[in-house]
Amino acid sequence: PERVIKFRVQYPTFGPEGAELHTTTGYRVQFNSALGPYKGGLRFHPSVSESIIKFLGFEQIFKNALTNLPIGGGKGGCVYDPKGKSDSEVRMLCEHFMKGLYRHIGPNLDVPAGDIGVGGREIGYMYGEYVRLKGQPDMGVLTGKSTDFGGSKLRPEATGYGLVYITLEALKKYNHYRYLPEERRAGVAENCFKGLKVLISGSGNVA
């Protein structure tokens, strides 16, 4: 990697017995900027570690290069499980995570996005803290924001649609169409997939 950023994230939670301070670790691996600013998601999950983030950042280089867009590869995250946590706790974690990250990102330097455990809510909390720390809004610093803050429409569904389109192309490439009746060869997904068995592994956004 060109740079590995590792920082302590301390955030408070408030319960019936008072306030409690928690400490965890945040990461951002800026792997390669040969094509443009670093680009890659932020992951909030208990399994996050420096080695995992490095591997994902390396993989992101090639995923981004295949888009033919001028963006490099990077990845980041935090050792944290947002499942079952209150909105206020997640907001505290996001804000304090951004305090350790904001100096190292920007539209022409590094543009993080969401990943496992980081959706529109978390991106919104982080963007709000980024604006507060920088003293001015900057729409290009994070992707995955709501449309109110310059985000893209249909972004949550984009990954699912991409899977559908690439599967259609794979069916064409491997000549599956020859087994279909003529009226089902129009390239419409519901026609082409009808009657096929599909194995799905993992989780994420769907179309």
Side-chain angles (χ1 to χ4, degrees), residues 18-61:
E20 185 177 354
L21 188 64
H22 303 267
T23 302
T24 186
T25 306
Y27 301 93
R28 186 64 179 175
V29 173
Q30 297 173 334
F31 219 107
N32 189 285
S33 60
L35 297 179
Y38 308 102
K39 186 81 184 76
L42 298 171
R43 175 173 295 193
F44 288 177
H45 195 269
S47 67
V48 164
S49 66
E50 184 174 328
S51 61
I52 287 175
I53 296 299
K54 282 181 177 179
F55 170 77
L56 294 171
F58 177 72
E59 185 182 55
Q60 197 72 40
I61 299 168

Side-chain angles (χ1 to χ4, degrees), residues 25 95 112 121 138 148:
T25 306
E95 290 175 352
R121 176 186 64 168
D138 197 336
D148 294 335

Side-chain angles (χ1 to χ4, degrees), residues 123 139 142-156:
I123 291 291
M139 296 293 189
L142 288 161
T143 57
K145 301 183 295 297
S146 72
T147 52
D148 294 335
F149 296 102
S152 301
K153 294 180 180 179
L154 291 179
R155 187 186 188 281

Side-chain angles (χ1 to χ4, degrees), residues 1-129:
E2 295 175 357
R3 183 183 300 161
V4 176
I5 302 157
K6 182 178 180 180
F7 50 95
R8 183 175 61 181
V9 180
Q10 287 188 313
Y11 64 99
T13 57
F14 303 93
E17 300 178 358
E20 185 177 354
L21 188 64
H22 303 267
T23 302
T24 186
T25 306
Y27 301 93
R28 186 64 179 175
V29 173
Q30 297 173 334
F31 219 107
N32 189 285
S33 60
L35 297 179
Y38 308 102
K39 186 81 184 76
L42 298 171
R43 175 173 295 193
F44 288 177
H45 195 269
S47 67
V48 164
S49 66
E50 184 174 328
S51 61
I52 287 175
I53 296 299
K54 282 181 177 179
F55 170 77
L56 294 171
F58 177 72
E59 185 182 55
Q60 197 72 40
I61 299 168
F62 304 101
K63 289 168 64 176
N64 290 348
L66 288 171
T67 68
N68 287 325
L69 296 173
I71 49 178
K75 205 75 175 181
C78 187
V79 185
Y80 179 73
D81 187 359
K83 290 183 178 179
K85 303 299 194 301
S86 66
D87 283 349
S88 61
E89 178 177 333
V90 173
R91 179 174 62 84
M92 284 292 181
L93 182 282
C94 290
E95 290 175 352
H96 286 77
F97 177 81
M98 183 52 71
K99 286 178 181 177
L101 184 65
Y102 82 100
R103 296 179 182 87
H104 308 287
I105 62 175
N108 299 310
L109 173 61
D110 187 349
V111 184
D115 194 81
I116 294 173
V118 178
R121 176 186 64 168
E122 290 76 18
I123 291 291
Y125 290 151
M126 285 189 275
Y127 179 66
E129 183 65 9

